[in-house]
């Protein structure tokens, strides 16, 4: 069965962008997207093939479904952490 | 299913091996490079220079805005370059891991929206875009090195941008500090100069310049006066009053100059002057009119009348010729309309007849009109119109030939146009008589020269040309008719002179005619305009043998004799 391509590209973006404090809104959007990716990947049938898009190009490399799922979950966690940090810093600044 | 797919994928995989992937990645990046390497270079210096020029106190708002703009711009660029760097990082990672496996299962893009399962082979063979559609084939490792090199450049530009941004941020802080200082302490004051007032001033000047009329000049004068007074306020009263008196005197002088254009001053002179002017030589008329305003009102009136009478027919250029005919009425109307013509500055506007301003320019032209016409035209509007048409035609011809001496027209006829004018004037009362004169003239002399049939043929041709040139003019058509009548006669006398074929200056022949008799002149004059070259000659030649060769110019006579 031909697999359907999932684009975990989005997940790759925030990792290298680390160090830059992204705006809260951007973070929110990315978190939402990542959540969707995780849900999609987790709900896939076992025999589905997952492709990962090479950044900035149109080629999709075949990837392992479970790996991608775990990776996307990790990314989601990182995003959530970052978001929390931003919120905390904002709160602290407001208190001060 | 799968097997088939793979089989079919193989060729695709060939084409879509890492090289292609690499090229794709590179093309994107390189495009950005080209765009962004260029853009920051020209823009940044501009901004920096501007920031240097603007003093800190001038306008904080503007400068602050400019600085902020620069900073935001830098931020955007930095962001973009960060993304490029990010892309290069991903590419590098992919390249570094690409040779790990012998082949990759991929989805091969089939256009922007279609994909096809394929296999990526030759994983250690990459083509790198060097630029301008040149590619280098290299291994994945070498490609990584190239990517690293590019990344360096990207990092460098990012650093530069960051430096610029820092610099401008510091400037923004500085301006903010200044504002705080000015707000806090009264020592520092913000000096602002509004440009708007300047523009208004300039605009006023221009407006004043255009009218060039009294009110404006007076206004200027007043302004000067006021300024002077202010400057003198500090001086003693005596000095001030003396100064005032001086100024008043000057004002009077200026006022007189300005008042000249006024109709009131000129009124007494106008009626007389206009007539006098007509008789005067026209050479300096234009300059005279412009300089001496006293003449203007009359001229203005004439123009107005002309425009009113002949509305569409009167053009700025035509006025000169038409003036003579119209001027008569103008004189009559002058008394009535003198009031109207105050300001003569707008000479060119014939269309707008309402005020005296427009008419003024036309007036000058009108004065240029010949005195002869004025006499002849006395009174009849219809005749006047007719004369106008004729004159227009003459002018056109003059323009085309370029041989019009309007100034010398009265006594001497130098050009066919002049002859034509004279003729018109004499006959002016009625159109028909002129024709008759031509016919009679030709019959009397039985002139018509003529040389040869070939010349007659030439006549026809020329006639056609002339008609085309003359176009509308009834006079032209008349002349052509007269020529036609003359032609047979000319044929009879062909024998006289073969010389006529040669081209000679037109003026010479005409002059001769004048000497003979005033009555003769018109006939020739008409003939000349119609057939500028050949026919005249024929007549002249015929005359020469008949009446007196001596009267002919010596040069011509000598020539004729030699030819004979």
């Amino acid at each position: 069965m031909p697999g359907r391509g999932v684009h975990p590209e989005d997940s790759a973006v925030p990792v290298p962008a680390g160090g830059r404090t992204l705006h809260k809104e951007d973070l929110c959007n990315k978190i939402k997207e990542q959540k969707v990716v995780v849900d999609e990947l987790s709900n896939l049938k076992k025999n589905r093939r997952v492709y990962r898009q090479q950044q900035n190009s149109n080629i999709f490399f075949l990837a392992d479904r479970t790996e991608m799922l775990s990776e996307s979950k990790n990314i989601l966690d990182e995003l959530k952490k970052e978001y929390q940090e931003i919120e905390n810093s904002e709160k602290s600044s407001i208190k001060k | 299913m799968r097997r088939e797919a793979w089989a079919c994928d193989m060729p695709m995989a060939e084409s879509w091996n890492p090289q292609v992937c690499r090229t794709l990645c590179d093309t994107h990046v390189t495009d950005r490079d080209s765009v962004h390497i260029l853009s920051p270079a020209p823009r940044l210096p501009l901004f920096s220079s501007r920031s240097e020029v603007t003093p800190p106190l001038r306008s904080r708002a503007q400068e602050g805005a400019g600085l902020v703009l620069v900073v935001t711009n830098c931020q955007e660029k930095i962001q973009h370059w960060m993304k490029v760097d990010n892309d290069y990082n991903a590419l590098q990672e992919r390249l570094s891991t690409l040779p790990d496996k012998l082949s990759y299962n991929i989805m091969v893009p089939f256009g922007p929206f279609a994909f096809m399962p394929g296999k990526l082979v030759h994983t250690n063979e990459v083509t790198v875009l060097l630029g301008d559609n040149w590619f280098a084939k290299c291994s994945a490792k070498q490609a990584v090195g190239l990517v690293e090199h590019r990344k360096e450049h990207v990092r460098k530009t990012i650093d530069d941008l960051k430096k610029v941004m820092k610099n401008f941020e510091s400037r923004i802080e500085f301006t903010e500090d200044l504002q705080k200082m000015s707000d806090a302490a009264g020592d520092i004051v913000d000096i602002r100069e509004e440009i708007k007032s300047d523009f208004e001033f300039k605009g006023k000047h221009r407006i004043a310049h255009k009218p060039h009329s009294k009110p404006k000049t007076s206004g200027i004068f007043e302004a000067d006066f006021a300024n002077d007074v202010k400057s003198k306020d500090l001086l003693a009263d005596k000095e001030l009053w003396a100064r005032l008196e001086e100024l008043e005197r000057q004002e009077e002088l200026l006022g007189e100059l300005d008042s000249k254009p006024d109709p009131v001053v000129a009124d007494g002179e106008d009626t007389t002057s206009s007539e006098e002017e007509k008789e005067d030589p026209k050479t300096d008329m234009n300059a005279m009119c412009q300089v001496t305003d006293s003449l203007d009102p009359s001229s203005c009136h004439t123009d107005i009348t002309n425009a009113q009478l002949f509305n569409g027919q009167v053009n700025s250029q035509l006025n000169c010729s038409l003036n003579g005919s119209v001027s008569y009425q103008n004189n009559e109307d002058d008394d009535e309309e003198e009031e109207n013509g105050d300001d003569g500055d707008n000479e060119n506007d014939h269309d707008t007849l309402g005020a005296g301003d427009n008419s003024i320019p036309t007036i000058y032209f009108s004065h240029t009109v010949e005195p002869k016409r004025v006499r002849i035209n006395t009174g009849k509007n219809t005749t006047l119109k007719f004369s106008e048409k004729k004159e227009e035609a003459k002018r056109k011809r003059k323009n085309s030939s370029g041989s019009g001496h309007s100034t010398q027209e009265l006594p001497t006829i130098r050009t066919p146009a002049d002859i034509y004018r004279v003729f018109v004037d004499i006959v002016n009362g009625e159109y028909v008589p002129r024709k008759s004169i031509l016919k009679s003239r030709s019959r009397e002399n039985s002139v018509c020269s003529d040389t040869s049939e070939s010349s007659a043929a030439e006549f026809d041709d020329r006639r056609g040309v002339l008609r085309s040139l003359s176009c509308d003019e009834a006079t032209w058509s008349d002349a052509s008719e007269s020529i036609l009548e003359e032609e047979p006669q000319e044929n009879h006398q062909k024998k006289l002179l073969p010389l006529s074929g040669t081209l000679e200056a037109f003026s010479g022949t005409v002059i001769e005619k004048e000497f003979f008799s005033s009555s003769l002149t018109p006939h020739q004059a008409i003939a000349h305009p119609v057939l500028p070259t050949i026919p005249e000659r024929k007549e002249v030649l015929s005359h020469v043998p008949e009446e007196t060769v001596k009267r002919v110019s010596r040069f011509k006579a000598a020539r004729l004799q030699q030819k004979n």
Side-chain angles (χ1 to χ4, degrees):
Chain A
M1 294 290 289
R4 39 186 281 219
V6 177
H7 307 254
E9 176 196 12
D10 300 334
S11 61
V13 174
V15 176
R20 274 273 155 208
T21 56
L22 300 176
H23 292 292
K24 206 174 173 183
E25 295 179 0
D26 290 342
L27 265 182
C28 280
N29 283 335
K30 281 184 179 174
I31 288 173
K32 282 177 185 174
E33 288 179 4
Q34 204 60 34
K35 277 181 181 175
V36 172
V37 170
V38 171
D39 286 344
E40 289 286 339
L41 284 175
S42 59
N43 287 331
L44 277 178
K45 285 181 183 177
K46 302 271 179 180
N47 59 354
R48 292 296 187 190
R49 282 187 292 172
V50 177
Y51 291 86
R52 177 184 185 135
Q53 184 179 23
Q54 172 65 28
Q55 190 175 345
N56 200 24
S57 76
N58 212 13
I59 297 177
F60 293 82
F61 286 88
L62 183 64
D64 188 36
R65 186 182 59 83
T66 55
E67 280 184 10
M68 289 308 299
L69 182 59
S70 63
E71 191 177 339
S72 58
K73 277 181 181 175
N74 286 338
I75 291 169
L76 181 60
D77 289 344
E78 287 181 7
L79 285 176
K80 278 183 180 176
K81 269 187 189 175
E82 205 168 346
Y83 184 74
Q84 283 295 335
E85 283 181 3
I86 289 178
E87 274 197 342
N88 288 336
S89 65
E90 282 183 354
K91 283 181 182 177
S92 63
S93 66
I94 290 173
K95 284 179 183 176
K96 287 177 183 176
Chain B
M1 291 285 292
R2 234 186 227 175
R3 284 252 171 128
E4 292 175 359
W6 284 120
C8 147
D9 288 345
M10 287 309 292
M12 289 305 302
E14 285 286 354
S15 66
W16 275 102
N17 55 18
Q19 308 165 359
V20 178
C21 158
R22 174 80 188 103
T23 55
L24 275 179
C25 299
D26 273 354
T27 50
H28 285 254
V29 175
T30 49
D31 285 346
R32 273 176 206 154
D33 281 352
S34 63
V35 172
H36 281 270
I37 289 173
L38 289 179
S39 61
R43 281 189 192 175
L44 290 180
L46 280 179
F47 284 115
S48 64
S49 66
R50 187 211 273 175
S51 64
E52 289 175 2
V53 170
T54 55
L57 278 180
R58 207 184 103 200
S59 65
R60 275 179 229 126
Q62 287 184 356
E63 184 173 346
L67 292 177
V68 170
L69 215 159
V70 173
V71 170
T72 54
N73 208 350
C74 282
Q75 279 177 345
E76 287 178 2
K77 281 175 188 165
I78 287 175
Q79 223 167 354
H80 170 79
W81 280 106
M82 291 295 284
K83 188 172 184 308
V84 173
D85 190 47
N86 188 14
D87 289 343
Y88 269 121
N89 278 333
L91 176 65
Q92 204 171 23
E93 188 182 346
R94 171 59 66 183
L95 277 177
S96 61
T97 61
L98 198 60
D100 292 351
K101 283 171 71 174
L102 209 55
S103 68
Y104 290 91
N105 292 327
I106 62 168
M107 291 296 286
V108 183
F110 225 52
F113 303 116
F115 292 93
M116 196 174 184
K119 204 169 187 178
L120 191 61
V121 295
H122 297 298
T123 53
N124 197 16
E125 196 173 319
V126 184
T127 53
V128 181
L129 174 63
L130 300 178
D132 197 21
N133 272 342
W134 282 91
F135 294 89
K137 200 173 191 178
C138 58
S139 67
K141 198 173 181 181
Q142 288 170 326
V144 171
L146 286 172
V147 170
E148 186 60 33
H149 181 256
R150 290 185 188 183
K151 273 172 70 180
E152 245 178 56
H153 175 263
V154 173
R155 269 183 235 127
K156 196 180 170 187
T157 54
I158 288 176
D159 286 347
D160 289 346
L161 285 175
K162 278 182 181 174
K163 281 180 186 172
V164 172
M165 203 174 69
K166 229 182 185 178
N167 193 7
F168 278 89
E169 278 176 349
S170 67
R171 281 168 193 259
I172 290 176
E173 286 180 4
F174 177 63
T175 53
E176 286 177 353
D177 289 348
L178 269 181
Q179 192 150 11
K180 286 176 186 173
M181 289 170 68
S182 65
D183 290 346
D187 294 346
I188 299 175
V189 182
D190 188 8
I191 301 173
R192 300 193 181 186
E193 189 175 350
E194 295 194 1
I195 306 171
K196 191 181 179 184
S197 61
D198 261 347
F199 285 128
E200 288 180 356
F201 191 66
K202 286 180 180 179
K204 268 190 177 181
H205 261 293
R206 286 181 184 176
I207 293 169
H209 229 40
K210 276 189 176 181
H212 203 66
S213 62
K214 293 201 265 178
K216 179 193 179 173
T217 55
S218 64
I220 294 171
F221 192 84
E222 288 177 1
D224 294 345
F225 186 77
N227 293 338
D228 293 342
V229 173
K230 286 180 182 177
S231 63
K232 300 289 180 178
D233 282 344
L234 299 177
L235 300 176
D237 291 345
K238 292 180 181 179
E239 292 178 357
L240 184 134
W241 283 113
R243 174 63 178 163
L244 287 177
E245 287 180 1
E246 255 187 27
L247 292 174
E248 283 184 359
R249 269 180 241 140
Q250 290 180 1
E251 192 176 12
E252 286 180 1
L253 293 176
L254 294 176
E256 289 179 0
L257 294 176
D258 296 343
S259 65
K260 283 184 179 181
D262 292 352
V264 178
V265 177
D267 288 346
E269 299 175 356
D270 289 347
T271 54
T272 58
S273 65
S274 62
E275 293 176 358
E276 294 176 357
E277 289 175 0
K278 295 169 185 177
E279 296 178 358
D280 295 343
K282 308 118 191 181
T283 56
D284 293 342
M285 287 309 293
N286 293 339
M288 295 288 291
C289 294
Q290 293 176 352
V291 175
T292 61
D293 294 342
S294 61
L295 301 178
D296 295 347
S298 63
S299 62
C300 296
H301 301 299
T302 58
D303 292 345
I304 295 171
T305 56
N306 293 342
Q308 293 175 351
L309 294 175
F310 305 98
N311 294 334
Q313 297 177 346
V314 177
N315 296 335
S316 59
Q317 296 177 348
L318 297 178
N319 288 342
C320 300
S321 63
L322 298 178
N323 291 340
S325 62
V326 179
S327 62
Y328 208 94
Q329 291 182 345
N330 295 340
N331 293 340
E332 298 175 356
D333 297 343
D334 285 349
D335 298 341
E336 300 174 356
E337 296 179 354
E338 285 175 357
E339 302 169 357
N340 294 341
D342 293 344
D343 301 339
D345 294 346
N346 300 339
E347 299 178 356
N348 296 338
D349 300 342
H350 296 285
D351 298 342
T352 59
L353 299 175
D357 297 347
N358 297 338
S359 63
I360 292 174
T362 55
I363 293 167
Y364 297 114
F365 289 101
S366 67
H367 281 288
T368 57
V369 177
E370 299 176 356
K372 288 181 179 180
R373 282 174 206 142
V374 174
R375 298 182 212 145
I376 296 163
N377 292 340
T378 64
K380 296 179 180 178
N381 293 341
T382 56
T383 56
L384 292 177
K385 287 180 182 179
F386 185 77
S387 64
E388 287 181 357
K389 289 180 180 179
K390 291 179 180 177
E391 290 179 355
E392 290 180 358
K394 294 173 184 177
R395 278 188 192 171
K396 288 180 180 178
R397 192 205 284 153
K398 281 184 178 179
N399 295 339
S400 63
S401 65
S403 65
H405 301 283
S406 61
T407 58
Q408 300 176 351
E409 291 171 358
L410 267 182
T412 61
I413 299 171
R414 302 261 163 130
T415 63
D418 295 347
I419 295 167
Y420 197 71
R421 284 183 185 177
V422 173
F423 170 79
V424 172
D425 294 346
I426 295 169
V427 184
N428 186 9
E430 294 178 358
Y431 184 75
V432 177
R434 177 177 63 97
K435 249 193 196 175
S436 65
I437 290 171
L438 285 174
K439 292 177 181 178
S440 64
R441 178 55 182 160
S442 61
R443 291 169 189 171
E444 291 176 359
N445 291 346
S446 65
V447 182
C448 313
S449 42
D450 247 41
T451 58
S452 64
E453 296 176 356
S454 63
S455 66
E458 290 178 358
F459 276 142
D460 295 345
D461 295 345
R462 290 189 182 176
R463 255 184 275 137
V465 176
L466 291 174
R467 286 178 184 175
S468 62
L469 294 176
S470 64
C471 306
D472 1 328
E473 305 300 335
T475 57
W476 288 99
S477 63
D478 295 344
S480 65
E481 292 177 357
S482 63
I483 294 167
L484 291 173
E485 294 177 355
E486 293 178 359
E487 286 180 358
Q489 296 177 353
E490 293 178 356
N491 293 338
H492 292 290
Q493 296 181 348
K494 295 173 187 175
K495 1 163 172 173
L496 288 180
L497 294 178
L499 301 178
S500 63
T502 61
L503 300 179
E504 293 180 357
F506 180 83
S507 60
T509 59
V510 174
I511 292 170
E512 293 174 4
K513 298 281 182 172
E514 289 178 358
F515 289 104
F516 292 113
S517 65
S518 62
S519 64
L520 295 178
T521 55
H523 158 72
Q524 289 181 348
I526 292 171
H528 289 293
V530 176
L531 302 178
T533 57
I534 299 175
E536 294 177 356
R537 250 172 235 145
K538 296 165 185 177
E539 292 180 357
V540 172
L541 294 176
S542 64
H543 287 291
V544 172
E546 289 176 357
E547 295 181 354
T548 56
V549 178
K550 295 176 183 178
R551 291 208 177 180
V552 179
S553 64
R554 295 170 186 173
F555 299 103
K556 211 172 197 180
R559 239 184 281 157
L560 293 174
Q561 288 179 356
Q562 289 178 358
K563 290 178 181 179
N564 291 339

